[in-house]
Amino acid sequence: MIPRRRIGRVLLALLTMFGVVTGASPATAATTPTLRFANPLSQALYGNAYAAALDNLLRINTMGYDAGYNRSGLLDPAVGFVRAGGGYHQPWTRDASVNSWNATSLLSPALAKNTLWAVVDKDSAGALRVQQDDQQWDQVIWLTAAWHHYLVTGDRDFLGNAYRTAKNTLAIRERAGTAGFNATYGLFTGASFFNDGIAGYPAPPADATESVSTGSMPWPGVASGMYLSTNEVYYAAYVNAANMADRLGQPQDAAGYRTKAAALKTAINRYFWNAQTGLYDYQLLANGARGAYQEGTGLAFAILFDIASPAQAQSIIARTRTMTWGLPDTYPHWDRYSDAQPGRHNAIVWPLVQGLWAKALARQGNQNLFAAETTRLAKLANNNSGFWEIYNGNTGVVDGGYQRLGDTVKFHWGSEPDQTWSATAFLDMVHTGLFGLRHTDQALTFAPDLPEGWGDVTLQNLRYRDADLTITLRGAGTTISSVKVDGQSSRAEVPATLKGAHTVEITLTGATGGDRDGDGVADGQDRCPDIGGTVSGCPAPARLDAEDARNTGGVKTNVNHTGYSGRAFVDGLWAQGAASSFTVHRASAGQGSGAITLRYANANSDARTMTLSVDGRAVRQVSFPKVSDSWDAWGTVTFDGVPVSGRDPVVTISYGQGDNGSINLDWFSYSGP
């Protein structure tokens, strides 16, 4: 394995559709739940993002069986595996683990199991182990995913093999000469969990020109250093290995792992907790120098793995700095980076990190911050035709950031499309955050977090072992006032033995008051509480930037030309199916006829045509005359007589049949009743 550095997009023709398991039992078949909000604007924002995330995981990135990955001998040839995403055709150890933990084990147990086994091999004696490479944290996070898979599925055969794999893998890591255990500090050395690129590290251990390598482990200071997230992942691995041993009737092993976990937790709090900042430090170098920087995954893990005390957790939430578009990987900018040139792993937004942070916020019951992080990722997905790898933290534009590549210093990397762990991060925000799904080996419990203003919501056709659940949340808040299972009062859980179709209705109270979008309308009375504006709590239709539209079919944000307004423009309207959809928030619900104006760029040799639709119904083909020979020049065109009805009609500009498209869009405006 090498660091995630592929620039070109790798497309594989072999895709497995939603039904990935032929003849599978209900306990193993893939499920495709539907998410439905009573509030149509919540449905447009979160429901569309959820559907796109499901498509990303269960269609785009589900691959057919490949015997080359069956080095463990445990893969089912009737089932495929989940690749890392566009540009990364392999399952990748870390991605396989994170994606199973986030969503795959719940949505398609057989697919998750194959994906986890696809990154396991055997040593010369035939012992199972997570595949060995120079990214040791990949091997260790597998244990957390494997334990979670058992809790979701109750699969004892899987658990037995997983424990043997876990035991062997931990023994390898403990004995390792590089990225092993430092007895002086009682901590594990080696790169941080997420930062396999040198852009994720300050100088030292890096230097101002990243002269040694693109990757992190070739740097001596990184290899011998100790990092917050990696040590937290080891702590969770010990805890989960102990859990596995307990379930398999090996109490002596369990006690040994718990002793190691307790010692590691003590060392983490001793060497990484910073009472002055109220946060955990990011790094501890071998010479004892501490780095009081913010690491997104490390702060999330501290809460998720119960390494932080309740007081520490509250301090972390209060003091952690987020960027406009989410929690960054590491923060602030290292000296060699800036807002104009953010590092690939520094002061930039990876949805994986956002997902872990949102999960931690929901676990702490911080409703407004959970809503804000979930909303950011939903917008990023909706604005950019799905889930990309990396986004600019200030603008939300698709951006791979800067980092050395080969002999090129500060190479501007690409951000790959269709990233699986970006999509599963959002699925986890919905499942673990919004609906509060918690798994034990005996039951599925609920601790929902429904923000004020989102409206009632239903998750239908969610398969849990042999049960098919329809879960409805009503009200708002984190306090459960009532639970009904099949119409009967119940505790907030369903047993693992449940079979067949069942309904769960949960009523919530205690929502925190607020005005998340800052439009002067309280969230509870706001038609769209997560989008700023002035018309009854929604944006005024005078001008809607194209980068805030719902963009699909390959349309995404960009800043590689000048003269645009707002934070970006959108490109990608270059093939059939590409579309930009603008929701017009009207004060009236009646039928009417208005005019729309679009600012666009067209440097083609002729006028270009697109299809104008309202609420999914084609109105007519429209033309965009050539503006100039430069894509930096912008013009406007107005189309009159556009029929609208309802308070929130959706106007779409698409590359339809018979169109020739190929324009860039800057903004949209509507005038009329």
Side-chain angles (χ1 to χ4, degrees), residues 326-385:
L327 182 72
D329 177 8
T330 57
Y331 194 81
H333 289 294
W334 314 138
D335 289 342
R336 61 193 188 274
Y337 296 121
S338 64
D339 282 347
Q341 293 185 333
R344 183 166 173 81
H345 290 277
N346 178 223
I348 203 165
V349 169
W350 291 70
L352 164 66
V353 180
Q354 291 182 282
L356 292 170
W357 183 236
K359 187 198 302 239
L361 292 167
R363 188 74 59 89
Q364 288 293 307
N366 194 309
Q367 193 167 67
N368 280 335
L369 292 182
F370 163 73
E373 202 68 32
T374 303
T375 298
R376 289 168 181 144
L377 184 49
K379 289 181 179 179
L380 288 172
N382 286 333
N383 298 163
N384 292 284
S385 297

